[in-house]
């Protein structure tokens, strides 16, 4: 469809009401679209690509999930999550197996997706008995041989020295990449979750955990750091809880919950989150993360509940990112509509309800009524342009440097006001565009009223 025909069709559909004092109101509510999946930056679903294993979920029967297929399958997909044991990446001291993850990173980032990491030191699968490499024990690090794994002494100085050197090398290679979404503190507890419920059931003291936190803070100067809520919520005593929360907040870190729909929690706590207060402490400033229990487990235990538990957790935690934790083909095939609904809800989700325009001489004053229907605030400030088009290819773009979308709170409406000096004479078409560089931030309005660059058509502003 050519541009002129596009505008002619749209202008017949967009109502405007001439009001008092020369104000023209464009009501966009009839065109709001809650059904279309909007793949917007800095929010949405993530894939558990390596999931405490290098054999699932982005790998199945030796076949790797290609980025194009992942984007085709998963609505609102934002990034891939690589969670695997330290021993896979440093099988010998100082010798790193970066190709294991670079193959995934390179292919997915070229497709415009982000990456996130957790490197664990303790697994529960006998095939990964030494999640911390065995050479660390051989170097003198203390630990305990359990039935299914070697559990390090998380406060042991030899263990911490080797861990520090690994993260120094890892951060030098990956920290600061523009496609890095976050890094989990994964060096303490079973699967890096910050608890020892499937091993010694011992709480290491705050001093030991602080040593781990300090390693991450020292080496990851640019990445968003994420901490499992189990670091605090699973502790038997209150020792260290207040200190951990203060450390996370003061460092600008955030929380994730790895336990949504886990059978034990559902039986003992019901469907509510265990530690929502931790998310209350951080969500206004940093994105929070949720993880669904292994999807097949939720089906077997009847804890999936058609996704209602996870959706409620998205809202309660003001979550920006969510992982469904399973093979993408199965999960999306059984939950396509839910994937769209929850994917849009994660993070911000912007609607424009109305635009009031006053034209006086060469000046144009706009009042734009926004609505954020997502679960969270955006934590990134996006560019915003007001575009005046003659419908023939000629456009004037007015960048609104004072615009701040991070002020749009979830579940609330807000009005922004703008003044354009030197608007062109005659009639022109008004469009609004939010973007992050070249990438659009799509508004939830139907496709017929959205240009390819993400610009939202408002209507024709006529000569006064």
């Amino acid at each position: 469809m050519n541009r002129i025909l596009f505008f002619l069709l749209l202008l017949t559909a967009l109502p405007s009401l001439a009001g008092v004092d020369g104000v023209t109101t464009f009501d966009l509510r009839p065109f709001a679209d809650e059904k279309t999946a909007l793949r917007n930056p800095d929010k949405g679903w993530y894939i558990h690509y390596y999931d405490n294993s290098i054999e699932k979920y982005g790998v199945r029967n030796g076949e790797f999930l290609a980025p194009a297929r992942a984007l085709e399958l998963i609505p609102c997909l934002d990034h891939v999550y690589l969670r695997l044991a330290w021993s896979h990446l440093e099988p010998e001291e100082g010798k790193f197996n970066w190709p294991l993850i670079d193959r995934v990173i390179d292919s997915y980032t070229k497709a415009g997706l982000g990456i996130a990491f957790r490197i664990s030191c303790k697994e529960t699968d006998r095939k990964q008995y030494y999640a911390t490499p065995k050479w660390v024990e051989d170097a003198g690090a203390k630990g305990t041989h359990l039935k299914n794994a070697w559990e390090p002494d998380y406060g042991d100085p030899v263990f911490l020295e080797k861990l520090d050197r690994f993260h120094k090398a890892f951060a030098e290679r990956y920290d600061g990449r523009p496609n890095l979404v976050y890094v989990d503190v994964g060096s303490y507890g079973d699967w890096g979750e910050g608890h020892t419920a499937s091993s010694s059931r011992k709480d290491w003291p705050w001093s030991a955990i602080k040593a781990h936190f300090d390693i991450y803070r020292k080496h990851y100067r640019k990445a968003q750091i994420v901490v499992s809520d189990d670091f605090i919520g699973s502790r038997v005593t209150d020792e260290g809880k207040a200190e951990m929360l203060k450390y996370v907040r003061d460092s600008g870190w955030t929380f994730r919950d790895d336990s949504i729909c886990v059978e034990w929690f559902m039986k003992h706590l019901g469907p509510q989150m265990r530690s929502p207060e931790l998310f209350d402490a951080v969500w206004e400033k940093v994105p929070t993360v949720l993880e669904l229990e292994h999807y097949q487990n939720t089906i077997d235990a009847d804890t999936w509940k058609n996704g209602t538990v996870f959706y409620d957790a998205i809202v309660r935690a003001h979550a920006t990112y969510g992982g469904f934790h399973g093979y993408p083909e199965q999960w999306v095939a059984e939950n396509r509509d839910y994937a769209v609904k929850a994917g849009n809800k994660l993070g911000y989700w912007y609607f424009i309800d109305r635009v009031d325009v006053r034209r006086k001489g060469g000046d144009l004053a706009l009042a734009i009524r926004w609505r954020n229907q997502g679960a969270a605030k955006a934590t990134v400030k996006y560019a915003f342009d007001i575009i005046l088009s003659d419908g023939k290819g000629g456009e004037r773009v007015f960048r609104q440097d004072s615009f701040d979308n991070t002020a749009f709170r979830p579940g609330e409406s807000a009005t922004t006001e703008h003044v354009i000096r030197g608007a062109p004479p005659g009639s022109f078409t008004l469009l609004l565009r939010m973007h992050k560089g070249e990438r659009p931030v799509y508004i939830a309005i139907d496709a017929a009223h959205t240009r390819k660059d993400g610009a939202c058509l408002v209507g024709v502003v006529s000569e006064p």
Side-chain angles (χ1 to χ4, degrees):
M1 182 183 297
N2 65 48
R3 180 173 294 186
I4 297 175
L5 179 57
F6 171 81
F7 283 124
L8 288 174
L9 288 174
L10 288 178
L11 297 181
T12 62
L14 281 171
S16 65
L17 301 174
V20 298
D21 300 325
V23 175
T24 301
T25 295
F26 296 92
D27 184 358
L28 302 184
R29 289 174 298 177
F31 312 108
D33 179 4
E34 298 184 4
K35 301 296 185 182
T36 299
L38 301 181
R39 185 174 170 261
N40 275 330
D42 309 305
K43 58 159 287 177
W45 291 111
Y46 63 90
I47 302 172
H48 288 252
Y49 194 94
Y50 287 143
D51 188 71
N52 297 107
S53 164
I54 59 172
E55 299 174 353
K56 61 179 184 182
Y57 285 108
V59 184
R60 191 169 196 174
N61 299 324
E63 295 291 326
F64 290 81
L65 179 65
R69 179 59 175 156
L71 285 165
E72 176 188 2
L73 279 172
I74 305 163
C76 309
L77 180 61
D78 183 80
H79 63 274
V80 292
Y81 181 47
L82 308 180
R83 188 160 79 191
L84 69 168
W86 173 12
S87 57
H88 289 297
L89 295 175
E90 195 179 6
E92 298 179 55
E93 186 167 12
K95 296 182 179 180
F96 300 102
N97 184 20
W98 302 134
L100 177 64
I101 56 177
D102 283 348
R103 179 185 186 279
V104 180
I105 292 168
D106 292 345
S107 62
Y108 273 81
T109 56
K110 285 178 182 177
L113 290 158
I115 53 173
F117 298 106
R118 178 189 291 175
I119 311 302
S120 67
C121 296
K122 164 66 171 60
E123 295 293 328
T124 58
D125 178 358
R126 285 193 62 85
K127 290 189 293 185
Q128 301 179 101
Y129 188 87
Y130 282 98
T132 294
K134 187 177 186 303
W135 59 259
V136 177
E137 183 191 30
D138 294 341
K142 295 182 177 63
T144 303
H145 285 274
L146 303 172
K147 181 178 180 180
N148 60 356
W150 184 74
E151 181 183 58
D153 178 338
Y154 293 107
D156 179 79
V158 176
F159 168 78
L160 289 170
E161 176 198 357
K162 304 302 184 184
L163 182 71
D164 181 85
R165 289 182 181 179
F166 169 76
H167 280 287
K168 179 178 185 295
F170 193 93
E172 285 174 350
R173 188 173 181 87
Y174 300 108
D175 187 37
R177 293 195 180 194
N179 45 35
L180 179 59
V181 181
Y182 55 82
V183 175
D184 282 1
V185 177
S187 54
Y188 173 75
D190 300 331
W191 316 297
E193 289 189 353
H195 66 80
T196 59
S198 295
S199 49
S200 64
R201 300 194 176 185
K202 172 184 174 181
D203 283 345
W204 264 259
W206 161 236
S207 59
I209 294 173
K210 182 177 182 299
H212 288 250
F213 282 12
D214 288 345
I215 287 172
Y216 283 80
R217 186 162 66 177
K218 176 171 66 171
H219 295 304
Y220 300 97
R221 301 295 185 88
K222 298 178 181 178
Q224 175 68 60
I225 302 297
V226 180
V227 176
S228 170
D229 66 343
D230 288 331
F231 272 84
I232 296 175
S234 70
R235 291 181 75 78
V236 176
T237 71
D238 289 337
E239 192 274 335
K241 287 185 176 182
E243 291 85 353
M244 272 186 261
L245 178 57
K246 185 177 187 303
Y247 193 112
V248 168
R249 293 188 65 180
D250 290 352
S251 301
W253 295 1
T254 190
F255 287 107
R256 65 179 294 133
D257 188 330
D258 291 6
S259 305
I260 308 300
C261 294
V262 167
E263 185 178 12
W264 187 92
F265 287 103
M266 293 280 282
K267 284 183 176 179
H268 291 82
L269 300 176
Q272 69 270 19
M273 296 177 66
R274 182 194 59 197
S275 305
E277 70 280 358
L278 300 181
F279 295 83
D280 290 342
V282 299
W283 75 269
E284 297 252 13
K285 295 183 178 180
V286 287
T288 62
V289 187
L290 293 183
E291 174 183 312
L292 175 68
E293 155 73 307
H294 295 268
Y295 175 62
Q296 189 58 50
N297 289 355
T298 71
I299 299 301
D300 295 341
D302 192 28
T303 60
W304 174 232
K305 307 298 183 185
N306 295 318
T308 56
V309 176
F310 195 83
Y311 191 87
D312 290 346
I314 290 172
V315 175
R316 180 62 185 86
H318 298 284
T320 291
Y321 301 113
F324 53 82
H325 215 175
Y327 289 107
E329 293 88 347
Q330 176 192 3
W331 188 79
V332 176
E334 297 175 7
N335 301 283
R336 176 74 192 187
D337 290 344
Y338 177 86
V340 173
K341 176 183 175 182
N344 281 332
K345 193 70 174 179
L346 285 161
Y348 63 87
W349 188 16
Y350 296 145
F351 294 72
I352 297 177
D353 286 340
R354 62 183 280 167
V355 181
D356 294 328
V357 181
R358 180 196 298 273
R359 185 169 181 175
K360 186 175 182 180
D363 295 341
L364 199 68
L366 289 84
I368 305 170
R369 188 68 169 173
W370 300 86
R371 176 164 42 95
N372 180 5
Q373 203 163 298
K377 294 168 57 178
T379 56
V380 176
K381 184 177 179 180
Y382 300 121
F384 180 61
D385 300 331
I386 295 174
I387 303 171
L388 307 182
S389 172
D390 62 11
K392 302 176 183 178
E395 293 186 349
R396 294 184 64 182
V397 178
F398 298 85
R399 177 65 53 82
Q400 303 299 293
D401 292 329
S402 63
F403 178 80
D404 184 7
N405 58 287
T406 65
F408 299 166
R409 296 179 62 81
E412 297 183 7
S413 296
T415 299
T416 60
E417 297 184 351
H418 312 265
V419 176
I420 304 299
R421 305 293 185 189
S427 298
F428 49 80
T429 301
L430 173 65
L431 301 102
L432 306 174
R433 179 178 63 197
M434 198 184 305
H435 56 101
K436 182 181 183 181
E438 297 299 315
R439 185 173 174 185
V441 176
Y442 291 103
I443 306 302
I445 193 168
D446 63 33
H449 300 84
T450 304
R451 208 165 62 174
K452 285 186 177 180
D453 64 354
C456 169
L457 179 75
V458 175
V460 170
V461 178
S462 303
E463 192 78 44

